[in-house]
Coordinates of all heavy atoms in Angstrom, one line a residue:
Chain A
T1470 N -208.5 30.1 77.6 CA -208.0 30.6 76.3 C -209.2 30.4 75.2 O -209.0 30.8 74.1 CB -206.9 29.6 75.9 OG1 -207.4 28.3 75.9 CG2 -205.7 29.7 76.8
G1471 N -210.2 29.8 75.6 CA -211.4 29.3 74.7 C -211.0 28.3 73.6 O -211.7 28.1 72.6
S1472 N -209.8 27.7 73.9 CA -209.6 26.6 72.9 C -210.2 25.3 73.4 O -211.1 25.2 74.3 CB -208.0 26.3 73.0 OG -207.6 25.5 71.8
A1473 N -209.9 24.1 72.8 CA -210.7 22.9 73.0 C -209.6 21.8 72.6 O -208.6 22.1 72.1 CB -211.9 22.8 72.1
P1474 N -209.9 20.6 73.1 CA -209.1 19.3 72.8 C -208.9 19.3 71.2 O -209.8 19.5 70.4 CB -209.8 18.1 73.3 CG -210.7 18.8 74.4 CD -211.0 20.1 73.9
L1475 N -207.7 18.8 70.8 CA -207.3 18.9 69.4 C -208.3 18.1 68.5 O -208.7 18.5 67.5 CB -206.0 18.0 69.4 CG -204.6 18.9 69.5 CD1 -203.4 17.8 69.4 CD2 -204.5 19.8 68.2
P1476 N -208.9 16.9 68.9 CA -209.9 16.3 68.0 C -211.0 17.1 67.7 O -211.8 16.9 66.6 CB -210.2 15.0 68.7 CG -209.3 14.8 69.7 CD -208.6 16.0 70.1
E1477 N -211.5 18.1 68.6 CA -212.6 19.0 68.4 C -212.3 20.0 67.4 O -213.2 20.8 67.1 CB -213.1 19.5 69.6 CG -213.7 18.4 70.6 CD -214.1 18.8 72.0 OE1 -214.3 20.1 72.0 OE2 -214.2 18.1 72.8
L1478 N -211.0 20.3 67.0 CA -210.7 21.5 66.2 C -210.9 21.2 64.8 O -210.2 20.2 64.3 CB -209.3 22.0 66.6 CG -209.0 22.4 68.1 CD1 -207.6 22.8 68.3 CD2 -210.0 23.6 68.5
P1479 N -211.6 21.9 64.1 CA -211.7 21.6 62.6 C -210.4 21.8 61.8 O -209.7 22.6 62.2 CB -212.7 22.8 62.2 CG -213.5 23.4 63.4 CD -212.4 23.1 64.5
L1480 N -210.3 20.7 61.0 CA -209.0 20.7 60.2 C -207.8 20.3 61.1 O -207.0 19.3 60.8 CB -208.6 22.0 59.4 CG -209.7 22.5 58.4 CD1 -209.3 23.8 57.6 CD2 -210.2 21.4 57.4
K1481 N -207.5 21.1 62.0 CA -206.3 20.9 63.0 C -206.5 19.5 63.6 O -205.5 18.8 63.8 CB -206.3 21.9 64.0 CG -204.8 22.0 64.6 CD -204.9 23.0 65.8 CE -204.1 24.3 65.5 NZ -204.0 25.1 66.6
G1482 N -207.7 19.1 64.0 CA -208.0 17.8 64.6 C -207.5 16.7 63.7 O -206.8 15.7 64.1
E1483 N -208.0 16.7 62.6 CA -207.7 15.6 61.6 C -206.1 15.6 61.2 O -205.5 14.6 61.2 CB -208.4 16.0 60.1 CG -209.8 15.7 60.2 CD -210.5 16.3 59.0 OE1 -210.2 15.8 57.9 OE2 -211.4 17.2 59.2
Y1484 N -205.6 16.9 61.1 CA -204.1 16.9 61.0 C -203.4 16.2 62.2 O -202.5 15.4 61.9 CB -203.7 18.3 60.9 CG -202.2 18.5 60.8 CD1 -201.4 18.1 59.7 CD2 -201.5 19.0 61.9 CE1 -200.1 18.3 59.6 CE2 -200.1 19.1 61.9 CZ -199.4 18.8 60.9 OH -198.0 18.8 60.8
A1485 N -203.9 16.5 63.3 CA -203.1 16.0 64.6 C -203.1 14.5 64.6 O -202.1 13.8 64.9 CB -203.8 16.6 65.8
L1486 N -204.2 13.9 64.1 CA -204.2 12.4 64.1 C -203.3 11.7 63.2 O -202.9 10.6 63.2 CB -205.6 11.9 63.7 CG -206.8 12.3 64.8 CD1 -208.1 11.7 64.3 CD2 -206.4 11.8 66.2
R1487 N -202.7 12.7 62.2 CA -201.7 12.3 61.3 C -200.3 12.6 61.9 O -199.3 11.9 61.9 CB -201.8 12.9 60.0 CG -202.2 12.0 58.9 CD -202.1 12.9 57.6 NE -201.3 12.2 56.5 CZ -201.8 11.5 55.5 NH1 -203.2 11.4 55.3 NH2 -201.1 10.9 54.7
D1488 N -200.3 13.8 62.4 CA -199.0 14.3 63.0 C -198.4 13.6 64.1 O -197.2 13.4 64.2 CB -199.2 15.8 63.3 CG -197.8 16.5 63.7 OD1 -196.9 16.5 62.7 OD2 -197.7 17.0 64.7
I1489 N -199.4 13.2 65.0 CA -198.9 12.7 66.3 C -198.1 11.3 66.0 O -197.1 11.2 66.5 CB -200.2 12.4 67.2 CG1 -200.7 13.7 67.7 CG2 -199.8 11.5 68.5 CD1 -202.1 13.8 68.1
P1490 N -198.8 10.3 65.3 CA -198.0 9.0 65.1 C -196.8 9.3 64.3 O -195.8 8.6 64.4 CB -199.0 8.2 64.4 CG -200.2 9.0 64.0 CD -200.1 10.2 64.9
R1491 N -196.9 10.3 63.4 CA -195.7 10.5 62.6 C -194.6 11.2 63.3 O -193.4 10.8 63.2 CB -196.0 11.5 61.3 CG -194.9 11.7 60.4 CD -195.4 12.8 59.3 NE -195.6 14.0 59.9 CZ -196.5 14.9 59.5 NH1 -197.1 14.6 58.4 NH2 -196.6 16.0 60.0
T1492 N -194.9 12.0 64.3 CA -194.0 12.7 65.2 C -193.3 11.6 66.1 O -192.0 11.5 66.4 CB -194.5 13.8 65.9 OG1 -194.9 14.8 65.0 CG2 -193.5 14.4 66.9
A1493 N -194.1 10.6 66.6 CA -193.6 9.5 67.3 C -192.6 8.7 66.6 O -191.4 8.4 67.1 CB -194.7 8.7 67.8
R1494 N -192.9 8.4 65.3 CA -191.9 7.6 64.5 C -190.7 8.5 64.2 O -189.5 8.0 64.3 CB -192.5 7.3 63.2 CG -193.7 6.3 63.1 CD -194.1 5.7 61.8 NE -194.5 6.8 60.8 CZ -195.8 7.2 60.7 NH1 -196.7 6.9 61.6 NH2 -196.1 8.1 59.7
H1495 N -190.9 9.7 64.0 CA -189.7 10.6 63.9 C -188.6 10.6 65.0 O -187.5 10.7 64.9 CB -190.2 12.0 63.5 CG -189.1 13.0 63.3 ND1 -188.3 13.1 62.2 CD2 -188.7 14.1 64.0 CE1 -187.5 14.1 62.3 NE2 -187.7 14.8 63.3
L1496 N -189.4 10.5 66.1 CA -188.5 10.7 67.4 C -188.1 9.3 67.9 O -187.2 9.2 68.7 CB -189.3 11.3 68.6 CG -189.8 12.8 68.3 CD1 -190.7 13.3 69.3 CD2 -188.5 13.7 68.3
G1497 N -188.7 8.3 67.3 CA -188.4 6.9 67.8 C -189.0 6.6 69.2 O -188.3 5.8 69.9
I1498 N -190.2 7.0 69.4 CA -190.9 6.8 70.6 C -192.0 5.8 70.5 O -192.8 6.1 69.5 CB -191.3 8.1 71.2 CG1 -190.1 9.0 71.6 CG2 -192.2 8.0 72.5 CD1 -190.4 10.4 72.1
P1499 N -192.2 4.8 71.2 CA -193.2 3.8 71.0 C -194.6 4.6 71.1 O -194.8 5.2 72.1 CB -193.1 2.8 72.1 CG -191.6 3.0 72.6 CD -191.3 4.4 72.3
F1500 N -195.5 4.2 70.2 CA -196.8 4.8 70.2 C -197.8 4.1 69.4 O -197.6 3.6 68.4 CB -196.6 6.3 69.5 CG -198.0 7.0 69.3 CD1 -198.4 7.7 70.6 CD2 -198.9 6.9 68.2 CE1 -199.7 8.4 70.4 CE2 -200.1 7.6 68.1 CZ -200.5 8.3 69.2
R1501 N -199.0 4.0 70.1 CA -200.1 3.3 69.6 C -201.3 4.2 69.8 O -201.6 4.6 71.0 CB -200.4 2.1 70.3 CG -201.2 1.1 69.4 CD -201.2 -0.3 69.9 NE -202.1 -0.6 71.1 CZ -202.1 -1.6 71.8 NH1 -201.3 -2.6 71.7 NH2 -202.9 -1.7 72.9
P1502 N -202.0 4.6 68.7 CA -203.1 5.6 68.9 C -204.2 5.0 69.9 O -204.7 3.9 69.6 CB -203.7 5.7 67.6 CG -202.6 5.4 66.6 CD -201.9 4.4 67.3
P1503 N -204.5 5.7 71.1 CA -205.5 5.1 72.0 C -206.8 5.0 71.4 O -207.2 5.9 70.6 CB -205.4 6.1 73.2 CG -204.1 6.9 72.9 CD -203.9 7.0 71.5
A1504 N -207.6 4.0 71.8 CA -208.9 3.9 71.2 C -209.8 5.1 71.6 O -210.7 5.5 70.8 CB -209.6 2.7 71.8
V1505 N -209.7 5.6 72.9 CA -210.4 6.7 73.3 C -209.5 7.9 73.6 O -208.4 7.8 74.3 CB -211.1 6.5 74.6 CG1 -212.0 7.7 75.1 CG2 -212.1 5.3 74.5
F1506 N -209.6 9.0 72.9 CA -208.7 10.1 72.9 C -209.5 11.4 72.7 O -210.2 11.5 71.5 CB -207.6 9.9 71.8 CG -206.7 11.1 71.8 CD1 -205.8 11.6 72.8 CD2 -206.8 12.1 70.8 CE1 -205.0 12.7 72.7 CE2 -206.1 13.2 70.6 CZ -205.2 13.5 71.5
P1507 N -209.4 12.5 73.4 CA -208.8 12.5 74.8 C -209.5 11.9 75.9 O -210.6 11.3 75.6 CB -208.6 14.0 75.1 CG -209.7 14.6 74.3 CD -210.0 13.8 73.1

Side-chain angles (χ1 to χ4, degrees):
Chain A
T1470 62
S1472 192
L1475 275 174
E1477 291 175 24
L1478 301 176
L1480 304 183
K1481 198 187 253 186
E1483 288 163 62
Y1484 171 76
L1486 295 183
R1487 248 187 128 103
D1488 184 62
I1489 292 161
R1491 186 181 65 210
T1492 297
R1494 294 193 299 275
H1495 180 65
L1496 297 171
I1498 292 174
F1500 177 80
R1501 198 167 83 185
V1505 183
F1506 172 73

